[in-house]
Amino acid sequence: LWEADEAFVSKWECRCGSAKCRKQVTGKDWKNSGLQERYWGHFTPLLNKRIASLRDMISKQFSDPRLVASYDALNALGNDSEFFCELASKLSAKTIIDLGCGTGLLTCELAKRGHEMIGIEPAGGMLDIARNKPCAHKVQWIKGGYEKFAGLTADMILMTSHVAQFFLDNSEWQAMLQAAHHALKPSGHIVFDSRTPIFPPYQTWPTEAFPRR
């Protein structure tokens, strides 16, 4: 069965004409968060179990109160954040969607600098912290993923802290890009970063002997 074979790719192409159509069915479609949201409750028992397990694994990273509470201490604003702030100003981005905004550190900083911010985050625990930050009242907070782009318009879509690497396969990446295309104004920009093993981030993580100051 196709649902048990992640290498499966349909030999036929859908021609329904829907803007959300992914053209082909693959064995990895169930990993697409947008499809999970859209068709939740309509998957087979096998896929429902897989999706529930995947969601549980991801949610623990960003919903455990102890991990959420320590997030800002481990991911304070730094040179990378300043880079994105300067880039947003250079590109004259008035309205910015911060996808995977987390606890809203950068989102609120950009709002403080005069940008109209929309913060989208799937983890409710992270959003709870974000909503209590200075300048949080200037931000439109939305719980969810890229499927929440529908109906929004922006000059820039921002994905920092390697959010782009949470898209695990090409089909989900393409679905996000398609949703972003509909949300961005003409000449809009998608800005994202990624981590590289050339500079392992754990080498600069704070330790008991050398805490971050």
Side-chain angles (χ1 to χ4, degrees), residues 65-83:
R66 295 169 299 176
L67 297 178
V68 172
S70 63
Y71 185 86
D72 286 355
L74 296 173
N75 298 276
L77 293 175
N79 293 334
D80 55 341
S81 302
E82 186 59 30
F83 168 82

Side-chain angles (χ1 to χ4, degrees), residues 58-59 61-63 68 71 97-104 107 118-131 140-149 160-161 163 166:
I58 294 175
S59 66
Q61 299 179 52
F62 303 108
S63 62
V68 172
Y71 185 86
I97 297 174
D98 188 359
L99 178 61
C101 63
T103 58
T107 322
I118 301 170
I120 300 179
E121 168 61 42
M126 306 285 269
L127 280 180
D128 289 341
I129 292 179
R131 291 190 176 103
Q140 178 184 352
W141 302 105
I142 300 175
K143 185 176 185 298
Y146 66 83
E147 72 279 357
K148 297 299 183 179
F149 288 172
T160 64
S161 298
V163 165
F166 277 77

Side-chain angles (χ1 to χ4, degrees), residues 30-105:
W30 65 274
K31 294 182 178 180
N32 186 310
S33 60
L35 294 178
Q36 292 174 11
E37 185 81 15
R38 197 182 316 156
Y39 299 119
W40 180 247
H42 298 283
F43 293 100
T44 64
L46 172 63
L47 291 185
N48 282 332
K49 185 176 180 179
R50 286 181 176 178
I51 292 169
S53 177
L54 181 63
R55 285 183 169 184
D56 183 58
M57 178 183 67
I58 294 175
S59 66
K60 284 181 179 178
Q61 299 179 52
F62 303 108
S63 62
D64 185 307
R66 295 169 299 176
L67 297 178
V68 172
S70 63
Y71 185 86
D72 286 355
L74 296 173
N75 298 276
L77 293 175
N79 293 334
D80 55 341
S81 302
E82 186 59 30
F83 168 82
F84 291 118
C85 289
E86 292 179 359
L87 182 61
S89 177
K90 180 180 179 180
L91 296 176
S92 301
K94 181 180 179 182
T95 303
I96 301 174
I97 297 174
D98 188 359
L99 178 61
C101 63
T103 58
L105 274 173

Side-chain angles (χ1 to χ4, degrees), residues 16-33:
C16 69
S18 170
K20 295 182 178 181
C21 180
R22 58 192 188 278
K23 304 302 182 184
Q24 286 184 313
V25 173
T26 78
K28 295 182 179 180
D29 287 348
W30 65 274
K31 294 182 178 180
N32 186 310
S33 60

